[in-house]
């Protein structure tokens, strides 16, 4: 681990970024240009104290998920991300399906402020959500290991389904498997997709039945209904945009026509993740 190099590389990039570059408000008073340490820590999902120690050439060796989160927070491109991994004494993830989100894709997503937006891998591992997506469906970015995959949690954690009406479960299950089939066909033999499918086949009878149908296809457009505890059912159209290698997906959720989804999303933009029920 090159502590001085890592500290300098983090500090220099932080100084180059403005809050508006990463979707944060500018604020009224800033003593120095660039982001503050607490803002970088917030974006990466780590403590301010730990990030500060990294910039001060102290602290424990950062893990791969932490380095990947810092690369996303500081908008590094792939070459810069790989350099960050090397400075941390780690092997960079593969360029393909490595889960790295290009700065340009996040910049595009940042501009879609009035609709929920999610960026995920082709294994449905959430890499980025805008505030409205977190308010609507919860924060999916903190999961680790196998649980990072939405499709894994859908078939192995029954409580996940409470976020959708019962009548939609069968459709969503079939769509999840069809989408995963497309990834499996495109990347057949690669360890991450192979192990995920094998584990799902072992753990879920429903998944096994759907997998045996051999239905395959990426969902470019789908209609979904989410149940939110404060605003009720929100019906939306999901548009899927794929990166050139199809290893990352940008999901934008637009209000379904003829419904009250627009008003409910506008309300969620105001209340965010607040719990409006009084404490007993």
């Amino acid at each position: 681990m090159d502590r001085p190099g890592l500290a300098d590389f983090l500090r220099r990039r932080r100084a180059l970024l403005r809050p508006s570059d990463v979707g944060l408000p500018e604020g009224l008073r800033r003593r120095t240009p660039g982001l503050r340490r607490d803002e970088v820590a917030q974006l990466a999902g780590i403590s301010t104290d730990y990030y500060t120690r990294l910039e001060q050439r102290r602290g424990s060796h950062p893990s791969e998920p932490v380095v990947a989160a810092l690369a996303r927070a500081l908008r590094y491109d792939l070459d810069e991300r790989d350099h960050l991994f090397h400075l941390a004494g780690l092997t960079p993830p593969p360029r393909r399906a490595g889960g790295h989100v290009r700065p340009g894709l996040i910049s595009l997503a940042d501009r879609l402020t009035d609709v929920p937006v999610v960026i995920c891998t082709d294994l449905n591992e959430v890499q980025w959500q805008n505030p409205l997506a977190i308010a609507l469906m919860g924060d999916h970015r903190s999961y680790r290991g196998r649980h990072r995959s939405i499709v894994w949690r859908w078939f192995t954690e029954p409580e996940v389904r409470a976020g959708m009406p019962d009548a939609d479960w069968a459709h969503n299950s079939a769509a999840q498997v069809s989408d995963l089939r497309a990834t499996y066909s495109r990347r057949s033999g690669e360890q991450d997709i192979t192990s995920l499918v094998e584990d799902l086949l072992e753990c879920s009878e429903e998944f096994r039945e759907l997998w045996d149908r051999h239905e395959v296809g990426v969902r470019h457009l789908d209609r979904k209904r989410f149940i939110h505890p404060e605003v009720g059912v929100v019906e939306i159209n999901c548009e899927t945009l794929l990166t050139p290698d199809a290893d990352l997906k940008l999901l934008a959720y637009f209000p379904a026509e003829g419904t009250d989804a627009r008003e409910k999303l506008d309300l969620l933009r105001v209340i965010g993740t607040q719990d409006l029920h009084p404490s007993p």
Side-chain angles (χ1 to χ4, degrees), residues 8-206:
D8 189 58
F9 196 46
L10 292 171
R11 188 168 51 250
R12 288 177 182 272
R13 174 51 64 96
R14 179 170 63 83
L16 291 174
L17 291 175
R18 298 179 60 85
S20 58
D21 295 330
V22 296
L24 294 175
E26 289 283 351
L28 298 178
R29 296 180 180 178
R30 285 186 175 269
R31 297 179 179 178
T32 59
L35 299 179
R36 296 192 298 263
R37 286 171 174 167
D38 64 296
E39 291 171 332
V40 176
Q42 174 190 341
L43 291 167
I46 61 177
S47 72
T48 302
D49 178 66
Y50 180 67
Y51 178 76
T52 299
R53 283 185 277 127
L54 286 178
E55 279 203 6
Q56 294 176 344
R57 309 181 185 184
R58 302 184 294 117
S60 60
H61 193 294
S63 65
E64 290 186 15
V66 166
V67 175
L70 286 171
R72 288 192 295 272
L74 292 168
R75 302 300 198 261
Y76 287 125
D77 62 25
L78 279 176
D79 291 330
E80 292 167 330
R81 180 208 67 175
D82 289 354
H83 183 56
L84 186 69
F85 267 80
H86 286 304
L87 290 172
L90 299 169
T91 301
R95 291 259 174 151
R96 186 168 174 271
H100 177 71
V101 184
R102 291 182 293 107
L105 191 60
I106 297 180
S107 295
L108 171 64
D110 275 336
R111 284 160 174 75
L112 301 174
T113 58
D114 62 340
V115 297
V117 180
V118 176
I119 299 175
C120 60
T121 70
D122 53 4
L123 301 184
N124 284 328
E125 299 167 337
V126 173
Q127 303 295 305
W128 187 91
Q129 291 174 278
N130 70 355
L132 191 51
I134 294 173
L136 176 64
M137 59 191 72
D139 193 341
H140 294 268
R141 301 166 300 173
S142 60
Y143 290 98
R144 295 291 180 262
R146 178 66 77 223
H147 296 275
R148 294 176 60 209
S149 172
I150 293 175
V151 64
W152 171 262
R153 297 201 305 277
W154 179 261
F155 285 103
T156 62
E157 300 177 14
E159 63 273 15
V160 171
R161 303 195 178 199
M164 282 189 173
D166 298 9
D168 298 352
W169 289 1
H171 169 76
N172 192 60
S173 293
Q176 292 271 14
V177 176
S178 175
D179 185 82
L180 192 64
R181 263 285 184 191
T183 302
Y184 186 84
S185 299
R186 182 170 50 83
R187 299 209 283 117
S188 181
E190 296 187 22
Q191 179 60 34
D192 55 350
I193 179 64
T194 299
S195 63
L196 175 59
V197 170
E198 289 176 348
D199 290 348
L200 282 167
L201 289 171
E202 181 179 349
C203 294
S204 171
E205 181 180 354
E206 180 189 15

Side-chain angles (χ1 to χ4, degrees), residues 181-278:
R181 263 285 184 191
T183 302
Y184 186 84
S185 299
R186 182 170 50 83
R187 299 209 283 117
S188 181
E190 296 187 22
Q191 179 60 34
D192 55 350
I193 179 64
T194 299
S195 63
L196 175 59
V197 170
E198 289 176 348
D199 290 348
L200 282 167
L201 289 171
E202 181 179 349
C203 294
S204 171
E205 181 180 354
E206 180 189 15
F207 181 86
R208 287 195 299 272
E209 293 175 355
L210 291 169
W211 189 258
D212 288 342
R213 294 180 187 177
H214 288 271
E215 295 176 353
V216 57
V218 176
R219 297 169 295 168
H220 293 279
L221 175 63
D222 199 4
R223 179 163 290 202
K224 293 178 176 290
R225 293 189 296 172
F226 289 96
I227 301 175
H228 190 276
E230 307 298 345
V231 301
V233 176
V234 183
E235 190 165 354
I236 52 184
N237 294 320
C238 177
E239 290 279 354
T240 301
L241 305 177
L242 300 176
T243 55
D245 291 330
D247 59 343
L248 284 175
K249 298 179 287 188
L250 186 151
L251 310 177
Y253 298 90
F254 296 95
E257 60 279 359
T259 73
D260 59 356
R262 176 71 279 161
E263 291 77 11
K264 290 179 175 178
L265 289 178
D266 287 342
L267 177 58
L268 283 177
R269 290 177 66 192
V270 176
I271 66 176
T273 57
Q274 298 178 61
D275 182 358
L276 300 185
H277 296 291

